[in-house]
Amino acid sequence: MRRLKGIHAVIAAAALAMGGCVVQDKTDDQAAAGGTTVTQQQPPAGQPAATPAPTPAPTPALPPPDLRLEVNVAERELYVYRNDQRIATHPVAVGTSEWPTQTGEWTIGQVVFNPRWTPPKEEEWAKDEEVKEPGAPDNPLGHAQLVYDAPRSIHGTNEPESLGKAESHGSIRIANSVAVQLSRMVMEAGGASRDEAFFEGVRSNRKERVEVAIPNPIPIRVVSGGSGDSGGGGSGEKGKSGETSKSGSGN
């Protein structure tokens, strides 16, 4: 019997060695409780140790877009710059003296084709207005909308005769064809390019609202007045983008 117990002890010791475990001596507390501690050993000799997963590299920051927009409220014009070179000028309608267009600096982070107009019911002038669905002839947002500080935006219009005048409720109106053209430019410069089939789709189905997020938002600056060609750092007020104002929430 003693011989059999000895054989069993040898077999048990061999099994523990092959399994990579070792039985440690009991501590005083463990001895009192009658317990045994089993700890995991390093991999057996000849086997490589597990290597930790590599830390993923941080996503590189996007380069500044080469496109930017500027609106001069006094001149009632919108300027398109590429690499600080003015490449286009478009007439706009801006807010009245009662509903002035807000000045400041923002970025355009969304383009909406065939937008839906929801009247701001908190505004007195809009209390009796109704929602205008995409494609509706009387939709004041027209064919496209460039959102920079919702609800503030540059958008098309169903009143092209207002361009060059101060007739909006604070928003910036442009011709429908220009709104679509600018939307496409913003998408391309902001990392959201689409193929020609996409633009044909939004043109052919005016009743379908289509949102496009701009991964690399496009800078826009709205100045109060002065020389039309501010060169990106001259005339007008700035820094009002954090103010609370009733301007820009209309059409």
Side-chain angles (χ1 to χ4, degrees), residues 156-199:
T157 180
N158 63 331
E159 299 180 4
E161 67 278 3
S162 68
L163 299 179
K165 303 174 184 178
E167 292 192 0
S168 81
H169 288 97
S171 64
I172 300 167
R173 302 175 186 171
I174 51 178
N176 282 324
S177 59
V178 176
V180 172
Q181 177 189 6
L182 288 179
S183 296
R184 187 166 185 167
M185 294 175 69
V186 164
M187 289 170 60
E188 291 174 353
S193 297
R194 299 291 191 277
D195 59 18
E196 194 60 42
F198 170 86
F199 296 102

Side-chain angles (χ1 to χ4, degrees), residues 137-234:
D138 56 348
N139 186 326
L141 300 182
H143 294 171
Q145 181 182 26
L146 297 87
V147 182
Y148 58 85
D149 185 39
R152 298 185 179 96
S153 67
I154 300 171
H155 60 77
T157 180
N158 63 331
E159 299 180 4
E161 67 278 3
S162 68
L163 299 179
K165 303 174 184 178
E167 292 192 0
S168 81
H169 288 97
S171 64
I172 300 167
R173 302 175 186 171
I174 51 178
N176 282 324
S177 59
V178 176
V180 172
Q181 177 189 6
L182 288 179
S183 296
R184 187 166 185 167
M185 294 175 69
V186 164
M187 289 170 60
E188 291 174 353
S193 297
R194 299 291 191 277
D195 59 18
E196 194 60 42
F198 170 86
F199 296 102
E200 180 58 33
V202 296
R203 282 194 299 266
S204 60
N205 189 0
R206 294 292 185 196
K207 294 184 178 181
E208 181 181 3
R209 183 179 183 274
V210 179
E211 290 184 9
V212 180
I214 308 301
N216 197 9
I218 303 303
I220 176 172
R221 182 169 180 255
V222 181
V223 299
S224 61
S227 172
D229 190 358
S230 64

Side-chain angles (χ1 to χ4, degrees), residues 4 42 63 68 90 107 113 118 135 139 158 222 236 238 245-246:
L4 289 175
Q42 294 297 321
R68 66 180 177 85
H90 302 288
T107 56
F113 292 94
T118 302
N139 186 326
N158 63 331
V222 181
K238 60 179 294 187
S245 171
K246 66 182 180 180

Side-chain angles (χ1 to χ4, degrees), residues 61-67 83 189 216-219:
L62 294 172
D66 63 357
L67 185 77
N83 295 322
N216 197 9
I218 303 303

Side-chain angles (χ1 to χ4, degrees), residues 11-25:
I11 293 173
L16 288 173
M18 292 177 65
C21 295
V22 63
V23 180
Q24 293 180 335
D25 294 336

